[in-house]
């Protein structure tokens, strides 16, 4: 049997021809084993005297079990059953080998010259060979995966849209006046209850100086395309300045490396000495200008408060030196 014929029969029967023959042989072997087991149980149930064995004079049949009266009978029965089982197995194998060969050659077979021309029932209505644009299993699997990914993306976008809609609603509620309750409709509404939640952004003096407003944007008919909403204009201006802020931040990052990491790493002693030397130099210049005939300070008027400040600085420096 060729592979083409075997494939044709397998597709027609939905199982291989050899599996059918194996099932038949296994069924026959099961029947043989059951028959041999029944024969063995029947022989053991028959008394040994009926099988031709003479009774033992030293033992009584009522006091001793039958299998211990004649042990040679048990051995012969087991040996005979085993030989019968071996004979039947050999006979079945030899007979069913012939049955297998005959079945595969004469029953479960199709002539080799006829197999290419046979068409099974589930091929009715199909155009063979298939057109070039017929989808293949690989292309169908790829399309299924694309559909699955598209559904996942659609679900993710829907969830994101729902979250954005909730956030937009919350932000709009901050920019709009809250609706009065049924109990509050009797009393006249106050200015604090009708103001938006973000009214503090426009009520502060600094916000008024910048012209911030929470009113809805509108277009000025006199100015084409210009928005009269200061808040929107300022936000657009802030957004336009973000690149410059990023550039300034990038320039400051290298300078941060030159600064000490901790406050304890700063050399405060050297900085204090520099400050003291600077103050002494400035005081010396002033004192030299005031002393003597005052030639060094011609045309310069020194106020009384300035002189007192200088005296206090000199006194502080003198106290620090005394402490040292």
């Amino acid at each position: 049997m060729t592979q083409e014929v075997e494939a044709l029969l397998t597709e027609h029967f939905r199982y291989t021809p050899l599996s059918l023959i194996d099932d038949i042989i296994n069924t026959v072997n099961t029947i043989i084993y059951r028959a041999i087991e029944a024969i063995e149980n029947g022989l053991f149930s028959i008394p040994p005297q009926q099988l031709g064995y003479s009774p033992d004079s030293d033992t009584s049949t009522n006091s001793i079990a039958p299998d211990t009266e004649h042990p040679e009978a048990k051995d012969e029965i087991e040996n005979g059953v085993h030989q019968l089982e071996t004979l039947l197995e050999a006979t079945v194998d030899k007979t069913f080998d012939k049955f297998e060969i005959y079945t595969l050659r004469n029953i479960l077979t199709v002539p080799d010259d006829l197999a290419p021309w046979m068409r099974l029932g589930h091929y009715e209505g199909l155009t063979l060979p298939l057109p070039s644009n017929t989808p293949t299993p690989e292309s169908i699997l790829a399309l299924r995966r694309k559909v699955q990914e598209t559904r996942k993306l659609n679900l993710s976008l829907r969830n994101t849209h729902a979250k954005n809609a909730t956030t937009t609603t919350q932000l709009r509620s901050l920019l709009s006046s809250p609706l009065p309750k049924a109990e509050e409709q009797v009393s006249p509404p106050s200015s604090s209850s009708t103001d938006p939640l973000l009214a503090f952004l426009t009520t502060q003096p600094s916000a008024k100086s910048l012209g911030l407003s929470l009113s809805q944007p509108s277009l000025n008919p006199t100015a084409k395309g210009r928005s009269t909403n200061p808040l929107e204009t300022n936000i657009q201006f802030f957004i336009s300045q973000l690149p410059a802020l990023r550039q300034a931040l990038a320039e400051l990052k290298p300078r941060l490396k030159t600064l000490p990491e901790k406050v304890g790493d700063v050399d405060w002693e050297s900085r204090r000495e520099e400050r003291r030397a600077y103050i002494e130099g400035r005081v010396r210049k002033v004192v030299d200008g005031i002393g003597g005939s005052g030639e060094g300070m011609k045309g310069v008027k020194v106020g009384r408060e300035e002189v007192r400040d200088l005296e206090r600085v000199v006194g502080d420096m003198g106290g620090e030196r005394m402490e040292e």
Side-chain angles (χ1 to χ4, degrees):
M1 182 184 297
T2 61
Q3 294 183 355
E4 184 178 3
V5 174
E6 184 178 1
L8 179 64
L9 294 176
T10 302
E11 187 176 0
H12 176 65
F13 293 120
R14 304 297 175 87
Y15 52 83
T16 59
L18 190 60
S19 62
L20 174 62
I21 298 175
D22 292 338
D23 289 341
I24 295 174
I25 296 175
N26 293 333
T27 303
V28 173
N29 288 329
T30 302
I31 295 173
I32 290 175
Y33 295 144
R34 290 179 180 177
I36 291 175
E37 184 179 0
I39 293 173
E40 184 177 6
N41 293 333
L43 291 176
F44 279 124
S45 63
I46 299 175
Q49 293 81 3
Q50 296 182 9
L51 296 176
Y53 295 96
S54 59
D56 194 354
S57 60
D58 298 334
T59 59
S60 176
T61 57
N62 297 327
S63 60
I64 301 177
D67 56 349
T68 59
E69 293 178 3
H70 299 281
E72 65 276 6
K74 179 180 178 182
D75 294 338
E76 289 184 6
I77 290 173
E78 291 179 352
N79 189 16
V81 169
H82 177 68
Q83 292 180 2
L84 177 62
E85 181 180 0
T86 304
L87 177 62
L88 290 176
E89 287 179 353
T91 304
V92 168
D93 291 340
K94 182 177 179 181
T95 304
F96 277 92
D97 285 342
K98 297 178 181 179
F99 171 77
E100 178 180 356
I101 295 173
Y102 177 82
T103 303
L104 293 178
R105 287 183 179 180
N106 300 281
I107 300 175
L108 300 178
T109 184
V110 176
D112 296 339
D113 56 347
L114 185 60
W117 301 97
M118 293 187 65
R119 182 167 59 181
L120 301 178
H122 55 274
Y123 285 130
E124 294 291 339
L126 295 179
T127 303
L128 298 175
L130 298 176
S132 59
N133 58 352
T134 303
T136 59
E138 291 78 8
S139 62
I140 295 175
L141 181 60
L143 290 176
R144 287 180 178 176
R145 291 178 179 176
K146 288 182 180 180
V147 171
Q148 292 176 356
E149 296 298 329
T150 304
R151 289 179 178 176
K152 291 181 181 179
L153 179 60
N154 187 13
L155 181 60
S156 176
L157 291 176
R158 287 179 181 273
N159 294 335
T160 305
H161 176 71
K163 293 180 181 178
N164 293 337
T166 304
T167 305
T168 304
T169 305
Q170 294 175 355
L171 293 176
R172 286 178 179 175
S173 64
L174 295 177
L175 297 176
S176 61
S177 300
L179 295 176
K181 297 182 181 179
E183 299 178 356
E184 298 177 353
Q185 290 180 358
V186 180
S187 61
S190 59
S191 59
S192 61
S193 62
T194 57
D195 288 339
L197 298 177
L198 296 181
F200 66 92
L201 295 176
T202 58
T203 56
Q204 299 295 331
S206 57
K208 292 181 179 180
S209 62
L210 293 175
L212 297 178
S213 174
L214 292 176
S215 59
Q216 296 295 330
S218 60
L219 295 177
N220 189 356
T222 59
K224 296 181 178 180
R226 291 186 60 185
S227 174
T228 59
N229 189 355
L231 182 60
E232 181 181 358
T233 304
N234 291 330
I235 291 175
Q236 292 177 357
F237 174 74
F238 294 153
I239 294 175
S240 64
Q241 295 300 315
L242 287 177
L245 293 176
R246 290 177 181 174
Q247 183 178 0
L249 182 61
E251 293 177 357
L252 288 176
K253 284 183 178 179
R255 297 184 182 182
L256 293 176
K257 298 180 180 179
T258 60
L259 298 177
E261 296 181 358
K262 300 180 180 179
V263 180
D265 298 339
V266 182
D267 191 3
W268 297 106
E269 199 64 32
S270 61
R271 292 177 179 270
R272 189 179 294 108
E273 292 296 334
E274 293 177 1
R275 177 173 174 272
R276 185 181 301 167
Y278 173 76
I279 294 175
E280 289 181 355
R282 300 298 298 177
V283 171
R284 189 178 294 108
K285 288 183 181 181
V286 174
V287 172
D288 292 342
I290 296 176
S293 59
E295 295 178 355
M297 295 295 292
K298 290 182 179 180
V300 179
K301 296 181 179 180
V302 180
R304 184 177 300 176
E305 297 295 333
E306 187 175 357
V307 174
R308 290 179 180 176
D309 294 339
L310 291 175
E311 289 177 354
R312 185 172 61 256
V313 171
V314 173
D316 295 340
M317 293 180 61
E320 292 180 359
R321 290 180 179 178
M322 291 295 291
E323 292 176 359
E324 293 176 358

